[in-house]
Amino acid sequence: MSYGRPHLKTLEDRLNEPPKFMIVVAGPRQIGKSTMVRQALAGRPSTFDATDQSATVSNPFSDAASTIQGEPGAKATEKWIVDKWTQARAKARFLPSGQCHVLAIDEIQKIPRWSEVVKGLWDADRAEQVPLHVVLLGSSPRLMQKGLTESLAGRYEPIHMSHWSYSEMQEAFDFSLDEYIYFGGYPGAASLIRDETRWRQYVRDALIKPNIESDILQMTRVEKPALLKNLFELGCGAYSGQLIALTKLLGQLQDAGNTVTLAHYLDLLSHAGLLTGLQKYAGQELRRRASPPKFNAHNTALISAQAKYTFEQAKNDRTYWGRLVESAVGTHLINNKPENSILYYWRESPSEVDFVLTYGEKLLAIEVKSGDDYAAPKGLQVFTDKFKYVTPMVVGADGVAISDFLLQPVESWMK
């Protein structure tokens, strides 16, 4: 029996309603978007199409047989969308009253002008009250958002999916806490962790490479692709969990540009669900932007797959393991923080706080302590004295257990 992510019920509930809005499922690669949609389509009249496949894959409950369109490997076009939509419309019209057909299109952002074409088709369906649900999937949230805001405002409801949490990996694959901290939250790689060489190769070739080369370089204008790749490798490798000024980083990068270029590339990596540069929390926006970023991977697998340490070696190096634990806490906050909240760090030498989460006027200040030797973090007290509405929190050591923190929704810690 396949595991169902929490988003599955949301999708099923929306498909059980008459078509009101298109449903947009967006998130990084290999986190189960297509699997979840297929789970929701089981038992429903439906068609699932992918833009990078030439064949239509129809649900057996569909009332029409699938057909092969075009040459194998042919790139999908605007006409391809129209053809698929027209076929789904025909199926929907022959359904008994009260039933709806579902058309799901995967990797929709790969088709130029997709949002303009979809807008016209959807508006025509609403005018004719066609009983057709439309689910659009995309693994490039930045490009998806561009099309949605330009053409489809008011016509869709989003389902945002992120990397798998510790609770999901524990329930679906029986991951221990240490396994999650090191191997991260990619479901497709979970069965390979007993063969670390194979696991590492899979993460590099099947996850990192297509994320960068297909979702960023092929679909976004990038003047210095080698620089972007090098930035990712350094940010997820040597500097995950650390602060480093972009000016200082320039000296370590091949084909270096300027800090504006680096900031732009870091933004692209963040939207792809790979690497984020957290900004310093401060009262003035100018001070936030002028501060050095704190790098944090969106999934600790991206760190471990490039590291020189094996799982056992990583656990035996207390300094390295501490950085990995802090990165795991960061990934949990990045991927699961409430909407409209922002994640920062804070530092005013010699005091610092690992993570600061803003939610309205509330602040959650988190210090991560992975070792057994506990000392009350002075940075939390300094930060609490300096700012209002702060909930200070220690994760690890004598504070909240790391496992407890990773197993709970982020908003449950905000008082």
Side-chain angles (χ1 to χ4, degrees), residues 5-314:
R5 299 198 71 185
H7 315 80
L8 177 60
K9 186 178 186 307
T10 301
L11 178 56
E12 290 177 332
D13 288 345
R14 292 180 184 177
L15 293 178
N16 288 335
E17 301 173 347
K20 300 175 183 176
F21 307 97
M22 283 177 282
I23 303 168
V24 174
V25 180
R29 277 181 173 265
Q30 300 297 318
I31 59 166
K33 299 186 299 296
S34 300
T35 298
M36 183 200 71
V37 171
R38 289 183 185 277
Q39 288 173 325
L41 298 187
R44 301 175 189 269
S46 59
T47 306
F48 188 102
D49 288 301
T51 60
D52 54 359
Q53 295 177 353
S54 59
T56 299
V57 181
S58 292
N59 188 288
F61 292 89
S62 211
D63 59 358
S66 63
T67 57
I68 304 298
Q69 300 289 333
E71 295 297 324
K75 185 175 292 187
T77 63
E78 298 163 36
K79 182 179 182 301
W80 181 91
I81 297 178
V82 175
D83 290 344
K84 298 301 180 185
W85 202 297
T86 301
Q87 294 167 20
R89 273 178 179 164
K91 298 173 185 178
R93 294 182 192 279
F94 284 98
L95 289 173
S97 177
Q99 290 191 31
C100 293
H101 191 84
V102 184
L103 171 64
I105 302 179
D106 198 5
E107 300 290 354
I108 186 70
Q109 82 280 352
K110 291 185 176 182
I111 300 178
R113 297 182 60 249
W114 66 271
S115 57
E116 299 172 36
V117 178
V118 165
K119 175 185 176 182
L121 293 166
W122 177 258
D123 287 351
D125 281 359
R126 299 285 61 76
E128 299 177 26
Q129 296 185 328
V130 179
L132 179 66
H133 273 293
V134 176
V135 181
L136 306 176
L137 298 83
S139 61
S140 179
R142 183 187 183 93
L143 290 176
M144 287 289 289
Q145 191 60 39
K146 180 181 178 182
L148 295 171
T149 53
E150 287 179 352
S151 302
L152 300 178
R155 294 173 172 83
Y156 72 95
E157 286 186 300
I159 296 178
H160 298 292
M161 297 180 68
S162 59
H163 295 276
W164 285 46
S165 66
Y166 172 42
S167 61
E168 290 180 288
M169 295 301 288
Q170 183 187 65
E171 184 176 348
F173 303 105
D174 198 29
F175 264 36
S176 68
L177 175 62
D178 286 352
E179 287 171 341
Y180 179 74
I181 289 171
Y182 183 86
F183 293 107
Y186 280 117
S191 63
L192 305 178
I193 66 172
R194 304 304 172 213
D195 184 344
E196 290 189 40
T197 300
R198 186 181 176 190
W199 172 85
R200 189 170 284 107
Q201 196 68 42
Y202 176 85
V203 173
R204 289 173 175 172
D205 293 347
L207 301 177
I208 295 175
K209 186 175 180 180
N211 253 298
I212 292 177
E213 295 187 359
S214 297
D215 292 343
I216 299 180
L217 297 183
Q218 287 186 14
M219 307 196 69
T220 309
R221 184 178 178 83
V222 175
E223 299 289 347
K224 296 177 177 287
L227 176 60
L228 183 142
K229 292 178 182 179
N230 199 200
L231 174 63
F232 167 76
E233 291 166 356
L234 278 177
C236 280
Y239 294 116
S240 184
Q242 297 187 41
L243 310 180
I244 183 167
L246 293 180
T247 51
K248 181 179 178 181
L249 194 61
L250 284 172
Q252 302 180 50
L253 292 167
Q254 301 173 6
D255 193 25
N258 53 45
T259 56
V260 175
T261 301
L262 286 184
H264 173 57
Y265 289 176
L266 190 55
D267 185 54
L268 293 178
L269 291 168
S270 180
H271 277 90
L274 296 173
L275 176 69
T276 282
L278 301 178
Q279 296 299 307
K280 175 185 173 181
Y281 180 79
Q284 292 109 3
E285 186 66 25
L286 179 62
R287 291 177 62 195
R288 294 179 189 176
R289 293 182 179 178
S291 63
K294 177 179 180 177
F295 289 107
N296 208 111
H298 287 226
N299 193 316
T300 52
L302 303 172
I303 304 172
S304 300
Q306 302 180 89
K308 61 182 180 180
Y309 289 104
T310 65
F311 178 41
E312 292 300 327
Q313 289 170 341

